[in-house]
Amino acid sequence: METFNPLLLTSIMPMAGLLGILISPNTNVKLCRNVALVTSCLTFIFSLLLWVCFDRNSRFFQFIKTFNWVSYLNFYYTIGIDGISLFFIILTTFLIMICILVSWNSVEKYIKEYLICFLVLEFLLIQVFCVLDLFLFYIYFESVLIPMFLIIGIWGSRERKIRAAYQFFLYTLIGSLLMLIALLTIYFNVGTTDIQVLRNFEFREWYQIVLWLAFFSSFAVKIPMIPFHIWLPEAHAEAPTAGSVILAGILLKLGGYGFLRFSLPMFPLASIYFTPLIFLLSLMAALYASFTTLRQIDLKKIVAYSSIAHMGLVTIGIFTLNTQGIEGSIILMLSHGLVSSALFLCVGILYDRHKTRIIKYYSGLAQVMPLFTSFFLFFLFANIGFPGTSSFIGEFLVLLGAFQVSTFTCFFTAIGMVLSAAYSIWLFNRVSFGVLKIQYFNTFQDISRREFWILFPLLLTILWMGIYPNIFINELHFTIVNLLEIYCYK
């Protein structure tokens, strides 16, 4: 009898929910919402089963399932996870569930299609993190753009949403075309696109450099690294709240995941060769984006540029090529997925009430929205990397790893963290304190029960990661050690 495979169950659950929504009558909006919510909750529970059944002492892929796809071309549909992909799958299922809850009342048109987009997006993202074939990874990696393009273009909040959707789609798609060429080159030279085989295949040095640059063109746009970041603030500003949550929480992590899954183990010599370039671009992102954040007047753009700065720290951690730096970068990616999502939710709460995101209209909210202000303060402190929050653990490990490689890089990374504190505290001061501007808004309403139960789990998870990070690091450790052993062996 075949053993129970929670990964397979997690993978197919969104499609089962999608089928349920498709057969639901268009007039019964409540039924569609309930089906989507129950599906996302069950998918999240199954993803937690992955964690419960995961063997933290194993260095290899687990829950592997192989389907004979096109055998004469040596293509097999293989899924499996390691310590790196485990938490990204859990984060994906958690945030999709939150996105559906957030949109419960705010989305009023094409509701059935909207829910379908999010369930398709969930399926594609889970496949990105668990598929063990490079060709299939590329298909899912690019397919994610389609539902996200529709979410921004149809359910966006302002007039420029169509332009932002096309900008997002074209920037990220064009950046991946070189990766497709590299993928085909690898297939014709190695004879397979199986990740488990490619990790042990040794490419020649000049070959590694060319292939690394092709993969870099795709991953750098997805993160995004400066100067490939132009699409991100515009996409965030025009996307609905749930779109911004999933964009910041998951899609920005695809580039970092790609570096860890492909660039480091497959092209180790090229990774060493280009490390100074990565450090330079990452420091530019951390410093330039932080200074740019200080002069923004749109609440969403402030969080968007903040995301660029934090992802700069992530790439520094990945390319320190030591255990502390890589573990710190993964913890920081998970933390950023929670913190930035929470901040976008807070901005969405204000926008739902007052239909504006311009800071000058907000002041003195602590007087009339004390519960909202408390949550907002906590998430901004988490964004700073305050001790006791998840970001502190990630940033500390990244700094520790960077210090072992380059004190110069470590110093300027720390300056970027100081600037993060500057724009976060200034933002909170402008929004929460001062004179209440009743000339703009007649009524003020604190967060509802539904909004409270959306924000509260995020708060608890951020605290949990910050106070007891060992439970997360233990699951990652052997995978990272194995990654570095493959790296050093080559």
Side-chain angles (χ1 to χ4, degrees), residues 260-330:
L260 290 167
R261 181 64 76 223
F262 302 106
S263 299
L264 263 61
M266 287 169 52
F267 318 123
L269 296 175
S271 296
I272 294 173
Y273 182 79
F274 287 109
T275 292
L277 173 65
I278 292 290
F279 281 174
L280 176 63
L281 294 177
S282 300
L283 288 175
M284 285 173 59
L287 299 176
Y288 167 79
S290 295
F291 281 118
T292 306
T293 306
L294 285 167
R295 58 187 294 270
Q296 296 303 311
I297 60 171
D298 185 303
L299 288 168
K300 265 197 174 183
K301 286 193 175 182
I302 290 175
V303 185
Y305 277 107
S306 169
S307 297
I308 296 172
H310 282 91
M311 296 310 292
L313 301 184
V314 167
T315 46
I316 288 174
I318 291 172
F319 282 87
T320 57
L321 307 178
N322 55 47
T323 308
Q324 293 88 350
I326 294 176
E327 286 180 355
S329 68
I330 296 172

Side-chain angles (χ1 to χ4, degrees), residues 132-135 137 179 182-183 185-187 190 192-205 207-209 211-212 215 219 258-271 483 486-487 490:
L132 298 181
D133 184 274
L134 181 56
F135 182 67
F137 170 84
M179 180 181 168
L183 186 157
T185 306
I186 290 171
Y187 174 73
V190 183
T192 182
T193 53
D194 190 320
I195 292 173
Q196 298 176 89
V197 175
L198 295 176
R199 282 162 68 97
N200 298 312
F201 187 86
E202 195 166 345
F203 295 94
R204 286 172 292 180
E205 186 174 352
Y207 212 55
Q208 286 191 31
I209 290 174
L211 292 174
W212 189 95
F215 277 75
F219 300 148
F259 281 134
L260 290 167
R261 181 64 76 223
F262 302 106
S263 299
L264 263 61
M266 287 169 52
F267 318 123
L269 296 175
S271 296
L483 173 67
I486 294 172
Y487 180 85
K490 285 189 175 183

Side-chain angles (χ1 to χ4, degrees), residues 341-361:
S341 297
L343 288 173
F344 277 117
L345 289 172
C346 289
V347 174
I349 287 171
L350 291 179
Y351 184 80
D352 285 344
R353 285 154 174 72
H354 307 302
K355 305 304 178 188
T356 183
R357 294 193 299 264
I358 305 302
I359 293 181
K360 72 174 184 178
Y361 296 114

Side-chain angles (χ1 to χ4, degrees), residues 377-394:
L377 176 63
F378 175 83
F379 294 132
L380 281 174
F381 267 55
N383 195 52
I384 293 170
F386 196 77
T389 63
S390 52
S391 297
F392 172 76
I393 303 299

Side-chain angles (χ1 to χ4, degrees), residues 422-480:
Y423 61 69
S424 297
I425 294 172
W426 191 32
L427 170 62
F428 180 77
N429 184 58
R430 285 184 289 175
V431 170
S432 303
F433 300 129
V435 179
L436 191 64
K437 297 183 178 179
I438 55 174
Q439 67 268 32
Y440 297 125
F441 311 122
N442 296 322
T443 58
F444 294 90
Q445 177 195 350
D446 211 340
I447 61 175
S448 64
R449 184 183 289 109
R450 177 179 59 87
E451 290 163 346
F452 176 86
W453 288 113
I454 289 171
L455 294 175
F456 189 64
L458 288 167
L459 183 148
L460 284 183
T461 310
I462 292 166
L463 273 178
W464 180 26
M465 286 184 69
I467 294 172
Y468 189 59
N470 219 33
I471 194 170
F472 298 90
I473 293 173
N474 285 343
E475 311 293 341
L476 293 168
H477 186 71
F478 280 101
T479 302
I480 303 303

